[in-house]
Amino acid sequence: MDFSEYLPIWNKLTAEQQQRIAGIIAYHKVGKGAQIHDSSAECLGLILVRSGQLRTYILSEDGREITISRLFAYDVSLLSASCVMPDLQFHVMIEAEKDTEFWSIPACLFKNLVDESLAVSNYSQSLLSSHFSEVMWLMEQIMWKSFDKRLAAFLLEESRLEESSLLKITHEKIASHMGTAREVVTRMLRYFQSEGLVALTRGCIEIKNKNKLEALADA
Amino acid sequence: MDFSEYLPIWNKLTAEQQQRIAGIIAYHKVGKGAQIHDSSAECLGLILVRSGQLRTYILSEDGREITISRLFAYDVSLLSASCVMPDLQFHVMIEAEKDTEFWSIPACLFKNLVDESLAVSNYSQSLLSSHFSEVMWLMEQIMWKSFDKRLAAFLLEESRLEESSLLKITHEKIASHMGTAREVVTRMLRYFQSEGLVALTRGCIEIKNKNKLEALADA
């Protein structure tokens, strides 16, 4: 089980730098639902996902959430190393949405490599740019896309990830994902049901008309 | 008129790198209202503000805006060099909100320096982290702070920037800044007026009770 193919700049490191990473990188295997990173705790470092699915999100003081991104196999996240990035003044939470295997490179080691290696510094910048672009995209969605389109896109994405048209997800959970209130989600889902897009049963949402849902999401 | 004190990493550059910058850096003096960067045009590069006030914002297809940040003397912005940052996949607009003097370092030269100098790469990453943190803060404001608090904070900020309690700004313009509709702004301002926080006259908003406004913003 070799992590090096999960770290795109591995071949640009010196043998000594590779050894420092190899000597300290940690392998983790967590179950669905595990909280793997918490804004209050010491930060985990650079995360390399081997398999499964992680969700990165922020949390307000009163417990509301916004999902920032999803991480899959071969994704790398720098946001879980924010504690060592002096100008990155926000903190994310990360939880496993499926059983997940990943490696973590301690934040301090990663910071040292950024400070000494041009290749790592450029790579770190490129990761940060990708994370930043995702958040800008998300903000545009939130500000400018009406909620029906966002919800349609969300249901389709969930269906793709779960490889099923039957989604076992509560309205509360969807509201958390989308940074809104449960009532708003319930109201829109009932509207979708009345339009024949979905069927609602206790704790489940079944996608009944994928084409119409896609048309709505892309409208 | 020496730009070097406006570029924090100047002393970390080699003499040759300093010469390349000095040979190509451009000085600009623009009037209030000038559009200095446009998402469709070639990008301007790294901006160093000497004096005045710039506004960075994004624009939706149907013309709605969200203000991302304000730049003042000694601020440096990397977002106007996004065209050369391969993973930075969004584009901002920048306009002068006051008469402004600034320098620009062409995006391509800056990119070359990032690729060859660890100091520049780390600095660029730190700029990016700051911009990213600003946007995350903004998103939290938008998602989690109710609109009355955001508007109160906005009026106080405007008053501070203009050094006046009399703000010459239209409701339309405020709506643009805050990514909402004019009606929403007008409704809330009328409520503020009824509470004695502001007085509204044609094209003007006068802050009548700064303490109450501050209490609302911080609530």
Side-chain angles (χ1 to χ4, degrees):
Chain A
M1 208 173 49
D2 187 14
F3 62 84
S4 66
E5 64 168 305
Y6 292 81
L7 187 62
I9 47 157
W10 181 254
N11 293 328
K12 292 185 182 167
L13 300 174
T14 65
E16 184 271 334
Q17 288 166 339
Q18 290 180 345
Q19 274 167 22
R20 271 152 72 200
I21 293 177
I24 202 169
I25 194 167
Y27 166 77
H28 309 260
K29 187 170 183 172
V30 295
K32 180 178 170 172
Q35 191 75 38
I36 69 159
H37 185 251
D38 184 305
S39 58
S40 61
E42 215 173 303
C43 71
L44 193 58
L46 197 73
I47 287 179
L48 322 179
V49 181
R50 182 167 191 257
S51 68
Q53 181 178 323
L54 300 176
R55 178 173 81 100
T56 307
Y57 62 102
I58 51 174
L59 192 62
S60 72
E61 284 169 16
D62 58 350
R64 280 185 289 173
E65 302 179 358
I66 309 170
T67 298
I68 298 295
S69 62
R70 253 81 176 254
L71 304 172
F72 306 97
Y74 291 99
D75 280 344
V76 178
S77 178
L78 178 63
L79 296 184
S80 42
S82 65
C83 57
V84 294
M85 313 291 284
D87 299 288
L88 212 57
Q89 289 162 342
F90 60 89
H91 297 285
V92 301
M93 317 277 285
I94 304 180
E95 66 164 18
E97 289 193 308
K98 295 185 179 170
D99 293 349
T100 300
E101 293 175 282
F102 67 96
W103 291 277
S104 62
I105 297 175
C108 294
L109 173 58
F110 186 69
K111 178 65 163 59
N112 289 344
L113 293 173
V114 165
D115 288 342
E116 75 187 48
S117 156
L118 182 58
V120 179
S121 178
N122 281 344
Y123 175 63
S124 172
Q125 183 163 221
S126 128
L127 280 176
L128 200 58
S129 297
S130 300
H131 293 318
F132 194 0
S133 301
E134 273 185 338
V135 166
M136 288 298 285
W137 179 86
L138 180 65
M139 191 159 80
E140 292 181 10
Q141 295 286 309
I142 291 169
M143 296 296 286
W144 292 329
K145 232 179 173 176
S146 52
F147 185 69
D148 56 345
K149 292 178 190 174
R150 285 176 62 213
L151 183 57
F154 177 84
L155 295 176
L156 289 166
E157 173 73 3
E158 282 295 312
S159 166
R160 199 179 59 72
L161 293 176
E162 298 298 330
E163 296 174 0
S164 164
S165 63
L166 192 67
L167 309 176
K168 286 181 189 157
I169 188 168
T170 64
H171 301 188
E172 189 70 45
K173 189 89 185 165
I174 296 175
S176 268
H177 274 294
M178 304 186 73
T180 188
R182 191 192 52 74
E183 296 72 24
V184 176
V185 173
T186 299
R187 197 184 317 134
M188 189 62 76
L189 283 173
R190 286 191 184 143
Y191 168 75
F192 282 5
Q193 182 167 244
S194 71
E195 295 285 304
L197 301 176
V198 303
L200 304 177
T201 50
R202 192 168 180 82
C204 278
I205 301 164
E206 189 183 355
I207 294 181
K208 300 293 278 187
N209 190 331
K210 196 180 164 199
N211 290 345
K212 265 178 91 176
L213 215 48
E214 282 172 342
L216 177 59
D218 295 337
Chain B
M1 208 169 51
D2 186 15
F3 62 84
S4 66
E5 64 169 304
Y6 292 82
L7 188 62
I9 45 157
W10 182 255
N11 294 326
K12 291 186 183 166
L13 300 174
T14 66
E16 185 270 334
Q17 289 166 338
Q18 290 180 345
Q19 275 167 22
R20 272 153 71 200
I21 292 177
I24 202 170
I25 193 169
Y27 166 76
H28 310 259
K29 187 171 182 170
V30 296
K32 181 179 168 170
Q35 191 76 40
I36 70 160
H37 186 251
D38 184 308
S39 59
S40 60
E42 213 173 305
C43 71
L44 193 58
L46 197 74
I47 287 179
L48 322 179
V49 181
R50 181 167 191 260
S51 68
Q53 182 178 322
L54 300 175
R55 179 173 78 100
T56 307
Y57 61 101
I58 52 172
L59 192 62
S60 72
E61 285 169 16
D62 58 351
R64 279 185 290 173
E65 302 177 359
I66 309 171
T67 298
I68 298 295
S69 61
R70 256 81 176 254
L71 304 172
F72 306 96
Y74 291 99
D75 280 344
V76 177
S77 177
L78 180 64
L79 296 184
S80 42
S82 64
C83 56
V84 294
M85 313 292 284
D87 299 288
L88 211 57
Q89 288 162 344
F90 60 91
H91 298 286
V92 300
M93 318 276 287
I94 303 180
E95 67 165 14
E97 289 193 306
K98 294 186 179 170
D99 295 349
T100 299
E101 293 176 281
F102 68 95
W103 291 276
S104 63
I105 297 174
C108 294
L109 173 57
F110 186 69
K111 179 65 162 60
N112 289 343
L113 293 173
V114 165
D115 289 343
E116 74 188 48
S117 157
L118 181 58
V120 180
S121 178
N122 280 343
Y123 176 63
S124 172
Q125 183 163 220
S126 127
L127 280 176
L128 200 59
S129 297
S130 299
H131 294 319
F132 194 0
S133 301
E134 274 185 336
V135 166
M136 289 298 285
W137 179 86
L138 180 64
M139 191 158 81
E140 292 181 8
Q141 293 288 308
I142 291 171
M143 297 296 286
W144 292 329
K145 234 180 171 176
S146 53
F147 185 68
D148 55 346
K149 291 177 193 177
R150 285 178 61 215
L151 184 58
F154 178 83
L155 295 176
L156 290 165
E157 174 74 1
E158 281 296 310
S159 167
R160 201 179 57 73
L161 294 176
E162 298 297 331
E163 295 175 0
S164 165
S165 63
L166 192 67
L167 308 175
K168 287 181 188 159
I169 188 169
T170 64
H171 301 187
E172 188 71 46
K173 189 87 185 169
I174 296 175
S176 269
H177 274 292
M178 306 187 70
T180 186
R182 190 192 54 74
E183 295 71 24
V184 176
V185 173
T186 299
R187 196 185 316 132
M188 190 60 78
L189 283 173
R190 285 190 186 144
Y191 169 73
F192 282 4
Q193 182 168 245
S194 72
E195 295 284 306
L197 301 175
V198 302
L200 304 176
T201 50
R202 192 167 181 82
C204 278
I205 300 164
E206 190 183 354
I207 295 181
K208 301 293 277 184
N209 192 331
K210 196 181 163 199
N211 290 345
K212 266 179 89 175
L213 217 46
E214 283 171 343
L216 178 58
D218 295 337

